[in-house]
Amino acid sequence: MIQIVPISQTSPLFEKQAATAEKDLVSGLPFADILKESMEQMQETQKISNQDAYDLAMGNTDDIASVMIHSVQATAALEMTVQLASRAVSAYKEVLQMQI
């Protein structure tokens, strides 16, 4: 005869994810570090994109796909950095307008 072993109760996955996300927010990086990292990534992708554009213009590369990919990455990094900075300024202005 076959025995069926009952399944033990498990905790919901969502609660674990929420607890992990909350812990990450509490122990996360300071905003200044996040902004600095974003700026460094943007500068690095801009350098790569500029070098690829230069190489393409001089005829040193035939890989147009990688040039376009690096160009799009640089554009996305710039847009993200601008959005991050503008949201920081917006949040700062909002805090200044708070009444005590």
Side-chain angles (χ1 to χ4, degrees), residues 47-68:
K47 285 179 187 176
I48 292 170
S49 178
N50 289 342
Q51 184 62 43
D52 282 350
Y54 179 79
D55 288 344
L56 183 65
M58 296 310 244
N60 296 336
T61 185
D62 293 332
D63 191 10
I64 296 175
S66 69
V67 172
M68 291 302 297

Side-chain angles (χ1 to χ4, degrees), residues 36-97:
K36 182 179 176 183
E37 182 179 326
S38 175
M39 292 294 292
E40 289 171 355
Q41 287 178 350
M42 182 203 56
Q43 290 173 348
E44 185 64 32
T45 56
Q46 288 287 335
K47 285 179 187 176
I48 292 170
S49 178
N50 289 342
Q51 184 62 43
D52 282 350
Y54 179 79
D55 288 344
L56 183 65
M58 296 310 244
N60 296 336
T61 185
D62 293 332
D63 191 10
I64 296 175
S66 69
V67 172
M68 291 302 297
I69 289 170
H70 290 144
S71 175
V72 170
Q73 285 176 341
T75 302
L78 178 63
E79 288 177 8
M80 184 196 67
T81 304
V82 168
Q83 285 292 325
L84 188 61
S86 67
R87 288 179 189 218
V89 169
S90 176
Y92 178 73
K93 286 180 180 179
E94 190 172 323
V95 168
L96 285 180
Q97 292 176 356

